[in-house]
Amino acid sequence: TGEGWYWNNQNQDWLYIGDRNVWYRYNVVNGTQQVFMNAVGLFGANREILQLHSNYNDTKHVCTVRDATTHAVLGAGYYNETLGTTRFYADANLNEANVDQSGRWIILQDNDRSNHIYDNDTGALVQDLAPTTGNALGHMDAGWEYFVGAYEPSTNNTVVWTLNPMSFKGVQHFNAAVTVMNQDPCPRSL
């Protein structure tokens, strides 16, 4: 169906496509493809991967890992293609995981809208966010060392989590007008 497919950030001719077991880079110009993630090879027997996201350099990837028979969610997977390393973050309540553009940080969004932020360099949990605190993200996107998303449980606010150092900023918006509660820009480090 094409659900979950997305374009490579570094090469406009490459499309990421997958079938839950194997994910490929597919060249839309010449029709070649290359495997870059294999669920069984990375996360064990009877596994499938979906909901992939990649960092800006297309070398660090996160995904939802499920049992291939029951389709039960097991948690989130992280794969560093350059180093050939993986991490697995167990979370049976996972809705989806996302990676920031640097590839260092992963955020897990649970079905109850709580969030868990991990440092992929160390595997350490660095922040747990409950939706009742007002700091958890709903639907989100990732920038360079930050995540931005819907402010849970409110529908008219957006939250920005800056990751290094860890800080929280709120942006309030109604219709087309945007009022910034904290006007410090989100930093980008290279």
Side-chain angles (χ1 to χ4, degrees):
T1 67
E3 181 179 354
W5 296 5
Y6 59 102
W7 293 99
N8 182 298
N9 287 321
Q10 300 302 308
N11 187 326
Q12 65 185 4
D13 297 338
W14 289 95
L15 180 66
Y16 288 116
I17 63 173
D19 63 5
R20 296 190 180 168
N21 298 310
V22 178
W23 282 79
Y24 306 89
R25 285 187 185 95
Y26 175 75
N27 187 307
V28 298
V29 174
N30 64 26
T32 61
Q33 66 183 24
Q34 58 182 231
V35 173
F36 77 98
M37 286 184 77
N38 180 310
V40 173
L42 294 174
F43 301 107
N46 199 38
R47 298 293 179 257
E48 63 183 9
I49 52 179
L50 60 157
Q51 296 179 309
L52 266 69
H53 297 279
S54 300
N55 75 321
Y56 178 76
N57 294 328
D58 292 303
T59 58
K60 298 173 183 175
H61 314 277
V62 299
C63 58
T64 300
V65 179
R66 297 193 317 192
D67 181 290
T69 302
T70 67
H71 306 294
V73 172
L74 303 173
Y78 165 78
Y79 174 52
N80 182 325
E81 229 179 317
T82 304
L83 300 177
T85 58
T86 61
R87 290 196 185 279
F88 176 73
Y89 303 101
D91 186 351
N93 195 32
L94 180 70
N95 179 283
E96 188 167 4
N98 206 336
V99 65
D100 83 300
Q101 294 302 300
S102 75
R104 179 175 178 186
W105 309 95
I106 184 174
I107 188 167
L108 281 57
Q109 180 188 23
D110 284 351
N111 289 313
D112 66 2
R113 297 288 194 207
S114 60
N115 301 153
H116 316 286
I117 301 174
Y118 291 87
D119 182 336
N120 286 321
D121 288 351
T122 65
L125 175 66
V126 294
Q127 192 73 280
D128 256 332
L129 307 166
T132 55
T133 64
N135 296 341
L137 300 176
H139 292 286
M140 70 185 81
D141 204 355
W144 206 280
E145 295 193 332
Y146 65 89
F147 293 106
V148 61
Y151 182 89
E152 292 293 337
S154 174
T155 59
N156 288 320
N157 296 307
T158 300
V159 174
V160 177
W161 271 102
T162 302
L163 303 168
N164 194 17
M166 190 70 64
S167 67
F168 163 83
K169 298 175 186 177
V171 177
Q172 188 174 24
H173 60 86
F174 299 97
N175 298 327
V178 176
T179 304
V180 178
M181 294 166 43
N182 181 337
Q183 295 188 9
D184 294 334
C186 294
R188 179 176 184 204
S189 60
L190 298 175

